[in-house]
Amino acid sequence: MILAAVDDAAAAAGLHPGMALTHARALMPDLDVRDADPQGDRALLHRLALFAVRRWTPTAQVDELDGLLMDISGVAHLFDGEQRMARHILRFCHRAGLFGRIAIADTVGAAHALARFGKERISICRTHEELTALGSMPIAALRTRRASAGWRAAAGHRTDRRSGRDASCASEPALGW
């Protein structure tokens, strides 16, 4: 058995997704382990996306198996700015028993990488500072497998949507929800 996800306490103890359960228990004997439920997680993410559209953003979608992608262009001011909006969403997640991380950036890729590989629960990347923010991240943050498929699918298409802000929310269940 391998770990599907870890919370902050487990990560601080050196545990990470993909680690063998026996190794994890050696590092953290009192580890609370629960069966992963990918289908249940996906259904929950779809419900959260619908909730996000009703409460926070005009557009939200499930991003991979562990997050949401929201276009927050033109709505952050309704929450007194991006930082307060992110804190508001994280408070909701906490009340719902979910652990979340939020990243806001001009590009989907930067928001995705910061939400999953950044060090802070809230990461806000200023305009044109993506390279600085992402420079020290591992190659996995680049989503290369997904990006190459996207390039093939988008051949011949031109996207000119650079003025918007994207927020990526990665949920990190404690070994399944």
Side-chain angles (χ1 to χ4, degrees):
M1 293 181 73
I2 61 169
L3 301 183
V6 298
D7 63 9
D8 279 346
L15 279 59
H16 57 84
M19 177 182 274
L21 179 59
T22 53
H23 186 191
R25 285 208 189 274
L27 294 173
M28 195 174 185
D30 60 340
L31 182 65
D32 179 16
V33 178
R34 300 176 192 167
D35 288 335
D37 180 10
Q39 290 175 330
D41 290 348
R42 189 116 177 123
L44 175 60
L45 285 171
H46 280 283
R47 288 193 308 272
L48 285 172
L50 288 173
F51 186 83
V53 168
R54 292 182 187 127
R55 293 283 181 105
W56 306 311
T57 178
T59 306
Q61 67 186 44
V62 174
D63 184 30
E64 296 189 0
L65 300 175
D66 64 349
L68 297 180
L69 179 63
M70 300 184 287
D71 182 350
I72 63 166
S73 303
V75 297
H77 73 280
L78 299 172
F79 298 89
D80 291 327
E82 294 171 342
Q83 182 74 30
R84 286 189 177 185
M85 181 179 188
R87 285 197 313 255
H88 176 79
I89 294 169
L90 285 180
R91 278 193 304 273
F92 165 81
C93 289
H94 179 73
R95 286 191 308 270
L98 303 172
F99 178 84
R101 297 170 53 86
I102 295 180
I104 300 172
D106 285 339
T107 66
V108 172
H112 180 275
L114 288 167
R116 287 161 178 82
F117 295 91
K119 295 180 180 174
E120 305 297 326
R121 288 195 65 201
I122 297 174
S123 298
I124 299 178
C125 183
R126 297 176 201 253
T127 300
H128 305 298
E129 291 187 9
E130 290 87 357
L131 186 58
T132 303
L134 304 178
S136 64
M137 293 196 175
I139 294 294
L142 298 178
R143 306 181 312 160
T144 54
R145 183 180 65 216
R146 186 172 161 202
S148 64
W151 278 110
R152 287 191 301 273
H157 297 290
R158 183 170 168 258
T159 304
D160 194 27
R161 194 187 145 297
R162 298 188 193 276
S163 60
R165 298 285 278 171
D166 293 302
S168 183
C169 302
S171 61
E172 297 179 7
L175 303 176
W177 288 332

